[in-house]
Amino acid sequence: MSQTATAVSSSTLTLAKALNAGLRAAMEADDRVLMYGEDIGPLGGVFRVTEGLQARFGADRVLDSPLAESGLVGTAIGMAMRGYRPVVELQFDGFVFPGFDQITQQLAKLRSRSHGRVGLPVVVRFPYGGGIGSIENHSESIEAYFTHTPGLTVVSPSNPHDAYWMIQQAVASPDPVIFLEPKRRYHEKGTVRLDAPGRDLHEAAVVRPGAEVTLLAWGPMVRTCLDAATVAADEGRSVEVVDVRSLSPLDMTTILESVGRTSRAIVVHEAAGSYGPGAELAARITEELFYVIESPVLRVTGYDTPYPPSRLEAEWLPGVDRILAAVDRSLGY
């Protein structure tokens, strides 16, 4: 373990600082790792996730880019084809669409087009989701666009420990990873165990055991589900919470084991409900556990509208009360 990583090993870190430490560790471990993005150098990025990395590794490994997301992703593809391992930062979720063609039509497909001979070890990171009082194009949950694209791994950490480990695992992946960072959780603190191996990048985690119903969530909604489970416990109900962590591929083993125990499932996500990840999870659970589940798989999601003005986002985003109402409905069957 590097000297720098050891220096922060006993600290309680915010999720943003854990990402910074994970990126630092990945760059120290492999000289081929480069970072590229808008204002990630001296400024350290919009949310300061890359703060201090250019000073540590130099401007030839931590590069400020023009405001051109398509060119930014395309450049990373070229770097990867020349043997580098680029980590691209996009400033906000809604800014990814100028680079969407490069990601879905080029980055995701070269492994298949080359019959497995050429992989692209590129990580595309960006903050996603709402909850910070921001507006449309700055609060999107667009995971479904990428999970629908074969060739992309899509993951999201929900806590500082996972953020530290998952970003390093993503950088080490031989194929492209879309790394979704829950911006409303950037400043929440937690223990990062630098001396303990993290879970596999694609492994889900039971973060609160329970017996009556399973809540399935990822990224920002895991904390909200844990809060709902605590309130439910005060009301005498036992709710299990599963942090899905990897949206593509899904760890259906852990998910099905949990729902098999509780016989009820509720999927919670910020993205709009129609055609969202909750629909996929509901279908898979129903196919596999049709004779086990005792109620329909329910969804608690954002609404099928554009992201609202900041004064309305507390009503738009799934909260504890909406989750508890779904728990009541599930247990009422």
Side-chain angles (χ1 to χ4, degrees), residues 1-2 5-6 8-9 11 13-26 29 123 155-173 177 179 181 190-203 245:
M1 185 176 298
S2 71
T6 303
V8 297
S9 63
S11 299
L13 300 177
T14 64
L15 193 146
K17 290 294 185 184
L19 285 168
N20 181 279
L23 289 167
R24 184 182 296 263
V123 178
V155 300
S156 180
S158 68
N159 58 75
H161 177 77
D162 279 353
Y164 175 78
W165 284 106
M166 289 173 72
I167 190 62
Q168 293 181 74
Q169 292 166 330
V171 172
S173 171
V177 177
F179 198 89
E181 300 173 2
T191 301
V192 178
R193 304 183 303 278
L194 295 176
D195 56 346
R199 296 175 183 274
D200 181 88
L201 182 61
H202 305 305
E203 186 179 351
R245 297 174 83 247

Side-chain angles (χ1 to χ4, degrees), residues 21-78:
L23 289 167
R24 184 182 296 263
M27 296 189 76
E28 288 174 341
D30 190 339
D31 291 340
R32 298 172 297 169
V33 178
L34 306 176
M35 293 201 59
Y36 195 49
E38 297 154 1
D39 293 326
I40 69 167
L43 183 64
V46 175
F47 295 96
R48 306 298 186 265
V49 172
T50 60
E51 191 170 42
L53 295 182
Q54 190 181 74
R56 167 66 180 83
F57 297 101
D60 57 342
R61 292 188 65 193
V62 181
L63 298 88
D64 275 325
S65 75
L67 293 170
E69 286 79 7
S70 178
L72 203 157
V73 176
T75 301
I77 292 171

Side-chain angles (χ1 to χ4, degrees), residues 19 52 139 257 273 297:
L19 285 168
S139 298
E257 286 177 352
V297 180

